[in-house]
Amino acid sequence: MSKPFRISILSADKRIFEGEIVALTAPAAGGYVGIWADHCPLLALLVPGNLTFREPAGTLHRVTVAGEGLLEVRENVATVLLHENFA
Amino acid sequence: MAQSLCRIKARIRSIENTRKITSAMEMVSVAKLNRILDAQSAAAPYAQKLEEVFANALGSHSRARHPLLDARVAVRRVGLCVVTSDNGLCGAYNMTIIRAAEDFIRQRAATPAHVLAVGKKGAKYFKKNWPAVTGQCWSGFNGRYAPHVIDEISGRLRELFLTEAVDEMYVLSGAFGTGITYTTRLVKLFPISPQRRSPREYLFEPDPEKIFAKAIGWYVQVKVRSLILEALRVEHSARSVAMKTATDNARELLVRLMLQRNKIRQATITQEIIEIISSAEALKG
């Protein structure tokens, strides 16, 4: 089984998701990026698209990125900051 | 005596009405305070993370350049954004901030200040007393959190700094001290001086400059939002304390007046009884 890592998805006014996941696909500016555990430190600009991630139990989640955002990955912690609610 | 009883009764009625109003206002400001607290706790995790990510990224990319990060060699003009409330009846809240702002302007007499006032009270005061230094003013919050207006304000502050109308930009607002006491807080908004975390090699996607340009804009918005949220929180808490004190005072006054009223009433009754008895005695005699 794949190694899990933590993720927190935040928008300006709420916590969208927080927990352990095993895989993440995010719409970065240069195309979709796939993140697994032990990924090297990454800071990416997110563009509109779909953010998908899988929990260790296998549940697949999808969050729509409507505006822009930031994805930071370091030390097995992924942080997604969605700026979409900001006009 | 009958006249003074009437007067006291009228005063009791009027103070009772005042007490009702102040206690209603206290409840309203507590409700508004709760709303602001909710907004604040909802915005806090995002703001905290953004700051963290920003510090990490700056630490990793030490050559990062952005006009908002550059400290200017000669500071010819400083900008001061003073955050006050739109409504009064909040004790010394507005005056405390205005006094601190005036101190700031006087202390830096060598570098002319440019004041931007947020909130009707501050706007009125500075337009009247410091017309030469006062620039744009915003009002109409009425104690509510309006992110769009705040973003407009932060956009304007940014523009002033970038167009070199000011060389430093400060925000002066209310902040919580210990417990329920509040103080004023002066925050240097521009040039931004964020913490730089220990360098860590990041992969940037697409390139660091593009990410910084975006992240800095968001960072500024979030920073101004959290400052104004804090100011709103202080405003409502100051108002609820002021209204509570007013209600308590009215209650105290009512107790005293009622005692006085009862004494007068009792005196009148005693007087009447004495009169009746003495006239009965006279009839008997």
Side-chain angles (χ1 to χ4, degrees), chain B residues 56-72:
Chain B
N56 285 338
L58 270 182
S60 145
H61 191 70
S62 53
R63 282 163 290 126
R65 296 247 61 80
H66 192 280
L68 291 176
L69 295 168
D70 295 338
R72 304 208 176 129

PDB file of all heavy atoms in Angstrom, chain B residues 56-72:
ATOM      1  N   ASN B  56       8.449  30.569   3.593  1.00  0.00           N
ATOM      2  CA  ASN B  56       9.248  29.445   3.081  1.00  0.00           C
ATOM      3  C   ASN B  56       9.781  29.744   1.697  1.00  0.00           C
ATOM      4  O   ASN B  56      10.950  29.515   1.395  1.00  0.00           O
ATOM      5  CB  ASN B  56       8.385  28.190   2.975  1.00  0.00           C
ATOM      6  CG  ASN B  56       8.121  27.590   4.327  1.00  0.00           C
ATOM      7  OD1 ASN B  56       8.864  27.824   5.275  1.00  0.00           O
ATOM      8  ND2 ASN B  56       7.061  26.827   4.431  1.00  0.00           N
ATOM      9  N   ALA B  57       8.881  30.262   0.858  1.00  0.00           N
ATOM     10  CA  ALA B  57       9.265  30.512  -0.523  1.00  0.00           C
ATOM     11  C   ALA B  57      10.330  31.598  -0.604  1.00  0.00           C
ATOM     12  O   ALA B  57      11.287  31.482  -1.370  1.00  0.00           O
ATOM     13  CB  ALA B  57       8.041  30.915  -1.325  1.00  0.00           C
ATOM     14  N   LEU B  58      10.176  32.629   0.224  1.00  0.00           N
ATOM     15  CA  LEU B  58      11.167  33.714   0.218  1.00  0.00           C
ATOM     16  C   LEU B  58      12.519  33.209   0.692  1.00  0.00           C
ATOM     17  O   LEU B  58      13.563  33.594   0.162  1.00  0.00           O
ATOM     18  CB  LEU B  58      10.709  34.855   1.122  1.00  0.00           C
ATOM     19  CG  LEU B  58       9.880  35.948   0.498  1.00  0.00           C
ATOM     20  CD1 LEU B  58       9.578  37.006   1.522  1.00  0.00           C
ATOM     21  CD2 LEU B  58      10.612  36.580  -0.687  1.00  0.00           C
ATOM     22  N   GLY B  59      12.490  32.349   1.705  1.00  0.00           N
ATOM     23  CA  GLY B  59      13.727  31.774   2.230  1.00  0.00           C
ATOM     24  C   GLY B  59      14.436  30.942   1.180  1.00  0.00           C
ATOM     25  O   GLY B  59      15.664  30.957   1.072  1.00  0.00           O
ATOM     26  N   SER B  60      13.632  30.251   0.391  1.00  0.00           N
ATOM     27  CA  SER B  60      14.218  29.360  -0.614  1.00  0.00           C
ATOM     28  C   SER B  60      14.747  30.146  -1.807  1.00  0.00           C
ATOM     29  O   SER B  60      15.754  29.797  -2.400  1.00  0.00           O
ATOM     30  CB  SER B  60      13.145  28.372  -1.061  1.00  0.00           C
ATOM     31  OG  SER B  60      13.286  28.063  -2.401  1.00  0.00           O
ATOM     32  N   HIS B  61      14.055  31.225  -2.133  1.00  0.00           N
ATOM     33  CA  HIS B  61      14.431  31.973  -3.325  1.00  0.00           C
ATOM     34  C   HIS B  61      14.917  33.343  -2.873  1.00  0.00           C
ATOM     35  O   HIS B  61      14.184  34.325  -2.923  1.00  0.00           O
ATOM     36  CB  HIS B  61      13.207  32.093  -4.233  1.00  0.00           C
ATOM     37  CG  HIS B  61      13.529  32.603  -5.590  1.00  0.00           C
ATOM     38  ND1 HIS B  61      14.218  31.880  -6.507  1.00  0.00           N
ATOM     39  CD2 HIS B  61      13.247  33.781  -6.183  1.00  0.00           C
ATOM     40  CE1 HIS B  61      14.355  32.594  -7.621  1.00  0.00           C
ATOM     41  NE2 HIS B  61      13.772  33.755  -7.439  1.00  0.00           N
ATOM     42  N   SER B  62      16.157  33.388  -2.381  1.00  0.00           N
ATOM     43  CA  SER B  62      16.621  34.603  -1.719  1.00  0.00           C
ATOM     44  C   SER B  62      16.842  35.752  -2.703  1.00  0.00           C
ATOM     45  O   SER B  62      16.948  36.900  -2.304  1.00  0.00           O
ATOM     46  CB  SER B  62      17.895  34.313  -0.944  1.00  0.00           C
ATOM     47  OG  SER B  62      18.817  33.716  -1.823  1.00  0.00           O
ATOM     48  N   ARG B  63      16.894  35.433  -3.993  1.00  0.00           N
ATOM     49  CA  ARG B  63      17.094  36.522  -4.951  1.00  0.00           C
ATOM     50  C   ARG B  63      15.760  37.139  -5.374  1.00  0.00           C
ATOM     51  O   ARG B  63      15.723  37.974  -6.258  1.00  0.00           O
ATOM     52  CB  ARG B  63      17.845  36.005  -6.177  1.00  0.00           C
ATOM     53  CG  ARG B  63      19.337  35.840  -5.935  1.00  0.00           C
ATOM     54  CD  ARG B  63      19.949  34.960  -6.976  1.00  0.00           C
ATOM     55  NE  ARG B  63      19.482  33.599  -6.770  1.00  0.00           N
ATOM     56  CZ  ARG B  63      18.887  32.786  -7.636  1.00  0.00           C
ATOM     57  NH1 ARG B  63      18.697  33.118  -8.734  1.00  0.00           N
ATOM     58  NH2 ARG B  63      18.483  31.596  -7.371  1.00  0.00           N
ATOM     59  N   ALA B  64      14.684  36.695  -4.734  1.00  0.00           N
ATOM     60  CA  ALA B  64      13.363  37.170  -5.132  1.00  0.00           C
ATOM     61  C   ALA B  64      13.281  38.689  -5.031  1.00  0.00           C
ATOM     62  O   ALA B  64      13.630  39.276  -4.016  1.00  0.00           O
ATOM     63  CB  ALA B  64      12.295  36.557  -4.236  1.00  0.00           C
ATOM     64  N   ARG B  65      12.858  39.304  -6.115  1.00  0.00           N
ATOM     65  CA  ARG B  65      12.737  40.764  -6.124  1.00  0.00           C
ATOM     66  C   ARG B  65      11.290  41.112  -6.436  1.00  0.00           C
ATOM     67  O   ARG B  65      10.638  40.456  -7.238  1.00  0.00           O
ATOM     68  CB  ARG B  65      13.636  41.369  -7.207  1.00  0.00           C
ATOM     69  CG  ARG B  65      15.111  41.152  -6.983  1.00  0.00           C
ATOM     70  CD  ARG B  65      15.844  42.451  -6.686  1.00  0.00           C
ATOM     71  NE  ARG B  65      15.384  43.139  -5.503  1.00  0.00           N
ATOM     72  CZ  ARG B  65      15.744  42.818  -4.250  1.00  0.00           C
ATOM     73  NH1 ARG B  65      16.509  41.801  -4.018  1.00  0.00           N
ATOM     74  NH2 ARG B  65      15.310  43.510  -3.238  1.00  0.00           N
ATOM     75  N   HIS B  66      10.813  42.126  -5.776  1.00  0.00           N
ATOM     76  CA  HIS B  66       9.477  42.618  -6.082  1.00  0.00           C
ATOM     77  C   HIS B  66       9.429  44.044  -5.574  1.00  0.00           C
ATOM     78  O   HIS B  66       9.964  44.331  -4.504  1.00  0.00           O
ATOM     79  CB  HIS B  66       8.415  41.755  -5.386  1.00  0.00           C
ATOM     80  CG  HIS B  66       7.030  42.030  -5.899  1.00  0.00           C
ATOM     81  ND1 HIS B  66       6.310  43.101  -5.466  1.00  0.00           N
ATOM     82  CD2 HIS B  66       6.262  41.401  -6.812  1.00  0.00           C
ATOM     83  CE1 HIS B  66       5.136  43.110  -6.097  1.00  0.00           C
ATOM     84  NE2 HIS B  66       5.085  42.079  -6.920  1.00  0.00           N
ATOM     85  N   PRO B  67       8.808  44.945  -6.322  1.00  0.00           N
ATOM     86  CA  PRO B  67       8.787  46.351  -5.867  1.00  0.00           C
ATOM     87  C   PRO B  67       8.230  46.518  -4.455  1.00  0.00           C
ATOM     88  O   PRO B  67       8.614  47.441  -3.745  1.00  0.00           O
ATOM     89  CB  PRO B  67       7.888  47.039  -6.889  1.00  0.00           C
ATOM     90  CG  PRO B  67       7.718  46.122  -8.007  1.00  0.00           C
ATOM     91  CD  PRO B  67       8.195  44.773  -7.630  1.00  0.00           C
ATOM     92  N   LEU B  68       7.321  45.612  -4.043  1.00  0.00           N
ATOM     93  CA  LEU B  68       6.727  45.768  -2.710  1.00  0.00           C
ATOM     94  C   LEU B  68       7.679  45.357  -1.592  1.00  0.00           C
ATOM     95  O   LEU B  68       7.445  45.648  -0.429  1.00  0.00           O
ATOM     96  CB  LEU B  68       5.436  44.956  -2.595  1.00  0.00           C
ATOM     97  CG  LEU B  68       4.246  45.431  -3.421  1.00  0.00           C
ATOM     98  CD1 LEU B  68       3.086  44.480  -3.265  1.00  0.00           C
ATOM     99  CD2 LEU B  68       3.824  46.831  -3.010  1.00  0.00           C
ATOM    100  N   LEU B  69       8.755  44.652  -1.983  1.00  0.00           N
ATOM    101  CA  LEU B  69       9.701  44.189  -0.962  1.00  0.00           C
ATOM    102  C   LEU B  69      10.858  45.167  -0.767  1.00  0.00           C
ATOM    103  O   LEU B  69      11.592  45.078   0.210  1.00  0.00           O
ATOM    104  CB  LEU B  69      10.297  42.826  -1.360  1.00  0.00           C
ATOM    105  CG  LEU B  69       9.359  41.635  -1.429  1.00  0.00           C
ATOM    106  CD1 LEU B  69      10.053  40.472  -2.104  1.00  0.00           C
ATOM    107  CD2 LEU B  69       8.898  41.238  -0.047  1.00  0.00           C
ATOM    108  N   ASP B  70      11.011  46.072  -1.732  1.00  0.00           N
ATOM    109  CA  ASP B  70      12.183  46.949  -1.688  1.00  0.00           C
ATOM    110  C   ASP B  70      12.026  48.101  -0.713  1.00  0.00           C
ATOM    111  O   ASP B  70      11.110  48.915  -0.842  1.00  0.00           O
ATOM    112  CB  ASP B  70      12.439  47.547  -3.085  1.00  0.00           C
ATOM    113  CG  ASP B  70      12.820  46.466  -4.063  1.00  0.00           C
ATOM    114  OD1 ASP B  70      13.286  45.407  -3.601  1.00  0.00           O
ATOM    115  OD2 ASP B  70      12.642  46.670  -5.276  1.00  0.00           O
ATOM    116  N   ALA B  71      12.945  48.181   0.234  1.00  0.00           N
ATOM    117  CA  ALA B  71      12.955  49.331   1.133  1.00  0.00           C
ATOM    118  C   ALA B  71      13.609  50.486   0.376  1.00  0.00           C
ATOM    119  O   ALA B  71      14.577  50.290  -0.343  1.00  0.00           O
ATOM    120  CB  ALA B  71      13.743  49.006   2.383  1.00  0.00           C
ATOM    121  N   ARG B  72      13.034  51.669   0.508  1.00  0.00           N
ATOM    122  CA  ARG B  72      13.586  52.812  -0.227  1.00  0.00           C
ATOM    123  C   ARG B  72      14.625  53.520   0.623  1.00  0.00           C
ATOM    124  O   ARG B  72      14.475  53.627   1.841  1.00  0.00           O
ATOM    125  CB  ARG B  72      12.462  53.760  -0.610  1.00  0.00           C
ATOM    126  CG  ARG B  72      11.411  52.988  -1.403  1.00  0.00           C
ATOM    127  CD  ARG B  72      10.637  53.816  -2.360  1.00  0.00           C
ATOM    128  NE  ARG B  72       9.758  52.909  -3.099  1.00  0.00           N
ATOM    129  CZ  ARG B  72       8.469  53.094  -3.252  1.00  0.00           C
ATOM    130  NH1 ARG B  72       7.903  54.172  -2.755  1.00  0.00           N
ATOM    131  NH2 ARG B  72       7.740  52.242  -3.927  1.00  0.00           N
TER     132      ARG B  72
END
